[in-house]
Amino acid sequence: MISMLKENSIATLVESIPFDARHEINTGVEAYSVYENKGIKFNVVDYRDPETGKLHRFVTTLPMTINPGTIAMLYFKRWTIEKTFNNTKSNFKETKAWSFNTRSLENQMRLTAMSYNLMRVFEEISKTQQPELIHPSDKKYSEALEIRQQQAQKRDRFVNPLFFQARISRISSYTIRAVQNAIITGMSLQCFMNSLVARLVSRPQLIGEH
């Protein structure tokens, strides 16, 4: 579990947890500590965003063996799950329950998850066919990061380099329509994958990449 620690929260510092501050994955982490409140112990990550300078304090019950920078990034990446919900609601039209029956609901969730995972596999495999190319949505995301990096550097700051690493994005509407058309027309798997690869674009050169 990971959550934000409220400013008015009362807790007692128990001990500091050692971590490698020089490792890139811990960029922005100022402290990693064990706190206690009413007999309950929990870990707190003090993370200062290198882009904005804002201090965030994350409470977690994850094991101490996990890097504090990973914990901070997991919190910032939590929006990724919303991408999945958006796909299922907008593209799969799964906006209502099939039934109030428990078995029916379980089957609906399983079929929805299977459909999502199948679409995800197709899209991710297409990216590996031409490693020098990227998906249009990844290019758009990278260009937005580049703008953020340039703006941050004007303030003598920088975007956390972990944001420039590979990410799980929303499955594109094109991929979903392509799968639907392939099923309807009986298109071969090779032709279908070729159509996805054809959508890939050149990778932009970014000053924020390491």
Side-chain angles (χ1 to χ4, degrees):
M1 182 193 76
I2 305 173
S3 62
M4 288 285 289
L5 182 65
K6 297 180 180 179
E7 293 184 0
N8 60 353
S9 298
I10 300 176
T12 303
L13 174 64
V14 177
E15 62 179 330
S16 296
I17 304 173
F19 68 96
D20 185 359
R22 296 171 298 178
H23 198 297
E24 181 181 65
I25 201 168
N26 292 321
T27 299
V29 176
E30 295 188 345
Y32 190 24
S33 314
V34 178
Y35 279 80
E36 182 177 6
N37 182 23
K38 297 180 180 180
I40 300 176
K41 291 184 178 181
F42 49 89
N43 303 335
V44 175
V45 177
D46 288 358
Y47 171 83
R48 190 174 299 279
D49 189 343
E51 181 181 0
T52 64
K54 181 178 180 180
L55 178 65
H56 302 270
R57 307 193 77 193
F58 302 113
V59 178
T60 178
T61 55
L62 293 176
M64 295 182 185
T65 53
I66 298 179
N67 283 306
T70 298
I71 294 173
M73 195 53 53
L74 284 173
Y75 183 84
F76 286 112
K77 293 288 186 178
R78 71 195 187 283
W79 184 249
T80 302
I81 189 62
E82 297 298 332
K83 305 289 186 181
T84 302
F85 295 149
N86 185 270
N87 273 137
T88 56
K89 292 179 179 180
S90 300
N91 302 109
F92 299 168
K93 308 303 180 183
E94 291 295 331
T95 57
K96 296 181 179 180
W98 292 353
S99 168
F100 291 108
N101 181 271
T102 302
R103 180 65 62 83
S104 296
L105 293 174
E106 290 176 349
N107 289 336
Q108 181 180 8
M109 288 186 288
R110 291 191 183 99
L111 289 172
T112 300
M114 289 169 61
S115 299
Y116 175 87
N117 289 338
L118 182 63
M119 304 287 184
R120 172 61 64 191
V121 167
F122 284 140
E123 187 158 288
E124 295 304 318
I125 288 180
S126 71
K127 298 177 183 179
T128 66
Q129 306 305 302
Q130 298 286 343
E132 71 280 6
L133 303 178
I134 61 176
H135 194 273
S137 63
D138 293 327
K139 181 177 182 179
K140 182 178 180 181
Y141 175 76
S142 298
E143 291 173 341
L145 277 180
E146 175 72 357
I147 293 174
R148 286 171 54 185
Q149 183 75 299
Q150 292 175 353
Q151 293 175 339
Q153 290 181 341
K154 292 178 181 179
R155 306 189 302 272
D156 293 325
R157 296 191 175 279
F158 62 93
V159 176
N160 191 318
L162 297 182
F163 280 111
F164 290 89
Q165 296 183 4
R167 68 192 182 104
I168 297 296
S169 59
R170 182 181 184 278
I171 300 175
S172 71
S173 298
Y174 178 86
T175 297
I176 295 173
R177 290 196 302 269
V179 172
Q180 294 170 337
N181 291 334
I183 294 174
I184 294 173
T185 62
M187 181 187 300
S188 69
L189 179 60
Q190 184 62 52
C191 290
F192 163 67
M193 291 305 301
N194 287 342
S195 69
L196 295 185
V197 173
R199 290 273 296 172
L200 301 180
V201 297
S202 299
R203 183 188 300 273
Q205 294 298 317
L206 304 176
I207 60 176
E209 290 183 324
H210 291 354

